[in-house]
Amino acid sequence: MTYAFGNIPNPCEMKSRNNSFTVIAVFMIVFLCMIPCILNAKQFSRLDTRDVSVYFDEAHALAARQVIELYPAVRAGLEATLTWKVDFKPAVLLAPDRRTFADMAGSPLVVAYAVPDKMLIVIDYSRMNIEPFTLSATLEHEMCHLLLHRYIQETPLPRWIDEGVCQWASGGLAELVTGNRQSALAWAALSGGFIPLNALSLNFPQDGQSMALAYEESRSVVEYIVSNFGKSGLLNILNAMKSSQDVSDAVSMSLGMSIEELQKEWEVSQRSWTVVISALAANLYTILFVIGALLTLAVYMRLIIRKRRFRDEEEEENLKA
C-alpha cells in the first residue's frame, strides 16, 4: 500500500465511444470535464494498493481506508455473482462535500456514479450510512457498472439492463435518493403506467418520480428474469452481449422470447393481488385523504341541495298564503 498526494485523474481525457452520443452522455461529459475546474484548488491524497486507488481529502482519510478494506470482498462477491474476472484497477474518488458532488454528478438525486471509460467511481460519502446506503453496497453497485462495461463493449448496453443488473447484484440498492418511501412501481401497477423497456435503453427520465420508476422497473424486470429463468438465464443474456450480440438477439436466444414479450409477461406478474394490496398500503394515507375529501364534498353538496329545497318550499308556502 502506498500513500501519495496528487490531483485526481482528469476525466476530460476519456475517449468517446460510438454509443456515447446521447443526451445523458453529453451531459455527463460536460460535468466530468468540470471536475478539474471545481477541484483545481484542492490537493487530493491518494491511498494506493495493487488492486484499487482511492482519492480523498483530509476529512475522508478514515473513509478511504474503509474503501481499501472493503474492496477485496466487494470484488470477490461481484466475480462470484457475474462470473467475470475483475481484471482492471478502479479508482474511487470520495467527493469532499455534497455540493461538489452535485456539481460533478449534475443531479442531486444520486449518491454515486461510475465512469466506465476511466474505470472511475465517484461517491458522495456524506450520504453513506444513511438508510438504505452503505459504503459497501454503494461500492459494489458502482463496481458492477464498471464490470459490465468492461466486458460489454462491442454492442450498446441498455440502461435498464445496466441499472437492473447492478441493483440485483448489490442487494436491490439503487444509487438514487427520492425522499419518497412509496413504491413508484406499485403505483404504476395500479395505473398501468409502466415505461416501455425500449424507452429505457439510452437514458432515464430526469424528474424524480419517473426516474424512481425507471430504477424500480429495471430492477424488477431483472429479478423477474432470475426468478423465472434462473440466474443462468440472466448470465446467458450478458454473455451473449459480451460476444457482440445486441440486446434483442441476446434476450431472444437466452429466454426464447422478444423484449416486448418479456415486458408483457412481466407486467402481468406485477398485477397480482399481492402487488395491488402493496400499492394500496403504500398509498394508504393518500387514498384516505381523497376518500375523505370526496365524502366532505358529498356532504356539502347534500346540504346545499337540502337548503335549496327548504327555500323553495318556504317560497311556495308564502305564495299560498
Side-chain angles (χ1 to χ4, degrees), residues 9-191:
N10 187 347
C12 296
E13 296 172 357
M14 59 188 287
K15 293 183 179 179
S16 186
R17 288 164 51 185
N18 290 337
N19 65 344
S20 65
F21 292 100
T22 62
V23 174
I24 190 67
V26 172
F27 184 75
M28 286 299 296
I29 289 172
V30 170
F31 277 96
L32 288 170
C33 289
M34 288 176 61
I35 292 177
C37 301
I38 297 171
L39 304 178
N40 59 2
K42 294 181 179 289
Q43 283 287 309
F44 274 74
S45 302
R46 186 179 79 244
L47 202 55
D48 216 15
T49 71
R50 183 181 62 180
D51 300 318
V52 63
S53 296
V54 186
Y55 294 85
F56 58 98
D57 65 354
E58 183 178 349
H60 293 92
L62 291 178
R65 292 189 177 279
Q66 189 179 2
V67 171
I68 295 293
E69 293 171 0
L70 290 171
Y71 181 77
V74 168
R75 180 188 60 194
L78 273 178
E79 289 179 339
T81 299
L82 297 182
T83 70
W84 291 348
K85 186 74 173 175
V86 177
D87 61 353
F88 54 88
K89 180 179 178 178
V92 178
L93 168 63
L94 301 177
D97 54 68
R98 188 173 299 185
R99 181 175 180 179
T100 299
F101 177 84
D103 289 338
M104 291 177 175
S107 171
L109 299 178
V110 297
V111 300
Y113 64 91
V115 187
D117 288 337
K118 294 296 294 182
M119 291 302 168
L120 173 67
I121 294 170
V122 184
I123 296 176
D124 178 6
Y125 187 76
S126 69
R127 287 191 278 190
M128 294 297 99
N129 302 318
I130 299 175
E131 188 182 357
F133 304 105
T134 65
L135 184 57
S136 177
T138 303
L139 184 61
E140 186 172 31
H141 183 103
E142 302 308 326
M143 273 295 297
C144 182
H145 284 305
L146 297 187
L147 191 56
L148 288 177
H149 284 270
R150 166 67 182 86
Y151 284 94
I152 301 176
Q153 298 187 10
E154 300 302 322
T155 188
L157 179 61
R159 182 80 185 275
W160 67 267
I161 288 184
D162 193 4
E163 291 297 346
V165 170
C166 291
Q167 290 177 79
W168 168 74
S170 59
L173 178 79
E175 60 221 346
L176 183 71
V177 176
T178 63
N180 187 352
R181 290 184 177 272
Q182 297 179 351
S183 171
L185 184 61
W187 189 251
L190 274 180
S191 64

Side-chain angles (χ1 to χ4, degrees), residues 284-298:
L284 181 60
Y285 290 112
T286 301
I287 293 170
L288 290 176
F289 176 81
V290 172
I291 292 175
L294 291 175
L295 288 174
T296 301
L297 180 61

Side-chain angles (χ1 to χ4, degrees), residues 224-238:
Y224 176 83
I225 292 172
V226 174
S227 296
N228 289 272
F229 300 92
K231 178 181 174 181
S232 61
L234 177 62
L235 295 183
N236 286 342
I237 294 174
L238 297 179

